[in-house]
Amino acid sequence: GINLSSLAHVSLVGGMKVGGSDRVRSHLTERLEREGVEIVYSHAQNNLDGYEALVYTVAISDNNPEYVRAMREGIPCISRADYMGYLMMAYSRRIGVSGMHGKSTCTSMCASVLIGADTDPTVLSGAELSMMGGAYRVGESKEHFLFEACEYMDSFLDFNPNIAVVLNIEMDHVDYFKSMEYIRRSSRSFASIAGQGGCVVANADDEEVRSALSGVEPRVVSFGIESRDADVRAENIECKKGRYSFDIMARSEKVCRAELSVSGYHNIYNALATAAVALECGLGGEQIKNGLKAFTGAARRMEYKGECGGVPIYDDYAHHPTEIRATLEGARRMVEEGGRLWCVFQSHTYSRTAALIDGFAESLSIADCVLVCDIYAAREENIYGVTPEKLAGMIDGARAVHGFDEPAEILKRELKDGDVAIIMGAGDVWKIFERLDLK
């Protein structure tokens, strides 16, 4: 995966012998192989031969062969989050971006600003960024370590940020988080890691964020659009073809006029969080303006993939109702008069689909034409009784589809001039692109 491949690269650059295992070959594993990392494409106990420690993701099962051998023989087992938390301690500014959605985009925006300002940061993101040639980069400077802080299984509590970003708090990962109170408590714990000498960059427009962080020990730098008391705000907002420009204000002073190269109102919030982080790092208005303008999107975040029959096709990672709404509302502004907004959606995990199905149906209804694909199981079995047919039946005019050939054929047959199509989900729905003959 992206996170472990990033850690493998950082470790290799640090002079360690590095190897790894995965189920399938990918461009990530091939890149690591070119760099000198030993990769095997199966899980077996002898994969640990010659290695002194095992770094693992909490997504693996307890019967993973490498994990079983390491536990039996006393080989140190270090979770991905613990290992990353250890590596980042060599840096003076450790910037962790958390939130139920927007983490990868905001982390990538911050990377664009920091790289553009010649700070030479080390970056570990959850999405690939063209200016980094992947999802990670290792800088020579020991000043800035920028990373995406995933909340699943509370892994972000093993990190050590002194600038902790909290973009939003909402119900998700229902196979682990059983209540909103649990999520609030976890987010507060993450923010508290920054400590007395650090700061929290927090969304003032998110009521759950305000509630969770009330009275937190680190200094809070807030950002927002609606909240007039936010430390960093957007004013004089304008929109052209789904892309926004606005004044970034720090208290009563104008920092710069930002012009985003990515669509969607939600990206104003990502830009404000980025600006707040940049200001904490001592950067100026011109550096912030240039870095935001240079950001043209992370991989699988409304990423333009080409045209099918003259219709633009986009790839998006959204897999939560709030993310879906934000993406589709932004895309709606891109549809020409008389055109239709298409969404081919693959839900991620049965538990999330079952718990949030009403929200999925409401958000997907923003599109004119919806194709609901088979649910991506990930680590789960379907004990919830959810199906593509059930979700599609809650959306006017939506259709359930199976496999990847069927939705591809529907798009090739039914798309017309003026339409915009988004293929959306966090699973393997991207395989549809291979069947579209995009130009």
Side-chain angles (χ1 to χ4, degrees), residues 150-184:
C150 179
E151 69 283 346
Y152 183 59
M153 299 285 282
D154 274 331
S155 61
F156 65 168
L157 301 186
D158 294 324
F159 302 143
N160 297 295
N162 50 21
I163 300 179
V165 181
V166 183
L167 297 173
N168 42 67
I169 297 176
E170 198 166 352
M171 194 66 194
D172 199 2
H173 299 300
V174 296
D175 58 330
Y176 179 75
F177 293 115
K178 302 305 182 184
S179 67
M180 275 302 303
E181 179 53 36
Y182 191 166
I183 294 174
R184 292 187 203 102

Side-chain angles (χ1 to χ4, degrees), residues 360-425:
F360 282 123
E362 182 180 353
S363 295
L364 288 167
S365 295
I366 295 170
D368 301 299
C369 306
V370 179
L371 304 179
V372 181
C373 298
D374 296 312
I375 297 167
Y376 187 76
R379 53 194 171 269
E380 297 182 341
E381 294 183 4
N382 190 4
I383 62 173
Y384 303 91
V386 290
T387 63
E389 286 78 12
K390 182 175 181 178
L391 178 54
M394 299 170 66
I395 306 165
D396 287 344
R399 288 174 275 180
V401 293
H402 302 283
F404 300 120
D405 290 334
E406 183 180 2
E409 289 304 315
I410 291 174
L411 291 178
K412 287 190 284 188
R413 184 174 64 246
E414 299 187 21
L415 289 176
K416 64 179 185 180
D417 289 347
D419 290 352
V420 170
I422 304 172
I423 295 175
M424 177 183 288

Side-chain angles (χ1 to χ4, degrees), residues 188-252:
R188 183 181 180 88
S189 296
F190 170 74
S192 297
I193 295 171
Q196 208 167 30
C199 78
V200 181
V201 175
N203 186 348
D205 289 354
D206 189 307
E207 291 185 11
E208 292 289 357
V209 172
R210 293 177 73 109
S211 173
L213 301 187
S214 177
V216 75
E217 180 185 17
R219 174 173 54 90
V220 174
V221 177
S222 60
F223 65 91
I225 300 172
E226 306 298 330
S227 301
R228 304 309 302 168
D229 60 344
D231 298 308
V232 179
R233 304 187 315 280
E235 295 186 354
N236 302 318
I237 299 171
E238 297 179 355
C239 180
K240 292 182 179 179
K241 295 184 178 180
R243 290 176 172 81
Y244 289 85
S245 61
F246 49 92
D247 294 334
I248 296 179
M249 307 295 295
R251 291 298 184 183
S252 58

Side-chain angles (χ1 to χ4, degrees), residues 8-324:
H9 177 82
V10 173
S11 302
L12 187 70
V13 171
M16 303 179 196
K17 175 187 176 183
V18 183
S21 62
D22 208 339
R23 290 177 298 176
V24 295
R25 186 180 299 274
S26 70
H27 71 283
L28 293 174
T29 60
E30 289 173 350
R31 175 181 175 181
L32 290 174
E33 287 181 298
R34 290 194 299 270
E35 293 172 348
V37 175
E38 180 183 59
I39 305 290
V40 290
Y41 293 96
S42 64
H43 295 299
Q45 294 195 7
N46 62 5
N47 290 343
L48 281 179
D49 291 350
Y51 294 96
E52 298 176 351
L54 173 68
V55 179
Y56 66 95
T57 168
V58 294
I60 66 167
S61 62
D62 291 340
N63 61 3
N64 174 277
E66 290 106 306
Y67 185 77
V68 169
R69 176 185 172 185
M71 294 296 290
R72 184 182 67 242
E73 298 183 6
I75 298 172
C77 294
I78 310 166
S79 74
R80 175 193 65 84
D82 274 335
Y83 187 56
M84 194 162 103
Y86 161 74
L87 290 176
M88 68 179 63
M89 290 306 293
Y91 296 78
S92 56
R93 286 197 179 101
R94 304 177 296 277
I95 306 156
V97 182
S98 76
M100 290 306 184
H101 29 264
K103 294 186 292 292
S104 295
T105 298
C106 187
T107 302
S108 298
M109 270 193 186
C110 287
S112 181
V113 172
L114 290 173
I115 293 170
D118 295 325
T119 66
D120 193 25
T122 291
V123 182
L124 272 66
S125 181
E128 297 183 37
L129 186 63
S130 59
M131 69 172 58
M132 298 195 303
Y136 53 85
R137 79 183 298 272
V138 179
E140 294 185 10
S141 169
K142 291 297 183 181
E143 186 172 5
H144 298 95
F145 188 102
L146 170 66
F147 64 97
E148 180 173 330
C150 179
E151 69 283 346
Y152 183 59
M153 299 285 282
D154 274 331
S155 61
F156 65 168
L157 301 186
D158 294 324
F159 302 143
N160 297 295
N162 50 21
I163 300 179
V165 181
V166 183
L167 297 173
N168 42 67
I169 297 176
E170 198 166 352
M171 194 66 194
D172 199 2
H173 299 300
V174 296
D175 58 330
Y176 179 75
F177 293 115
K178 302 305 182 184
S179 67
M180 275 302 303
E181 179 53 36
Y182 191 166
I183 294 174
R184 292 187 203 102
R185 189 165 61 247
S186 291
S187 296
R188 183 181 180 88
S189 296
F190 170 74
S192 297
I193 295 171
Q196 208 167 30
C199 78
V200 181
V201 175
N203 186 348
D205 289 354
D206 189 307
E207 291 185 11
E208 292 289 357
V209 172
R210 293 177 73 109
S211 173
L213 301 187
S214 177
V216 75
E217 180 185 17
R219 174 173 54 90
V220 174
V221 177
S222 60
F223 65 91
I225 300 172
E226 306 298 330
S227 301
R228 304 309 302 168
D229 60 344
D231 298 308
V232 179
R233 304 187 315 280
E235 295 186 354
N236 302 318
I237 299 171
E238 297 179 355
C239 180
K240 292 182 179 179
K241 295 184 178 180
R243 290 176 172 81
Y244 289 85
S245 61
F246 49 92
D247 294 334
I248 296 179
M249 307 295 295
R251 291 298 184 183
S252 58
E253 295 186 11
K254 181 178 175 180
V255 176
C256 65
R257 178 73 182 174
E259 296 181 6
L260 301 186
S261 299
V262 289
S263 64
Y265 190 81
H266 60 288
N267 275 317
I268 300 177
Y269 283 99
N270 290 325
L272 291 174
T274 297
V277 167
L279 290 170
E280 283 297 312
C281 292
L283 302 187
E286 198 67 17
Q287 292 167 311
I288 294 170
K289 174 183 176 180
N290 292 340
L292 290 176
K293 180 69 174 177
F295 176 69
T296 55
R300 302 213 62 212
R301 274 67 179 177
M302 272 303 283
E303 179 185 9
Y304 175 71
K305 302 296 289 186
E307 292 188 350
C308 177
V311 172
I313 310 290
Y314 293 86
D315 182 14
D316 195 80
Y317 192 72
H319 56 285
H320 184 281
T322 301
E323 296 170 338
I324 294 166

Side-chain angles (χ1 to χ4, degrees), residues 322-344:
T322 301
E323 296 170 338
I324 294 166
R325 173 174 291 278
T327 298
L328 293 181
E329 286 180 343
R332 169 64 65 190
R333 293 175 175 268
M334 301 164 63
V335 178
E336 297 178 12
E337 186 175 352
R340 300 165 298 171
L341 176 59
W342 285 74
C343 181
V344 182

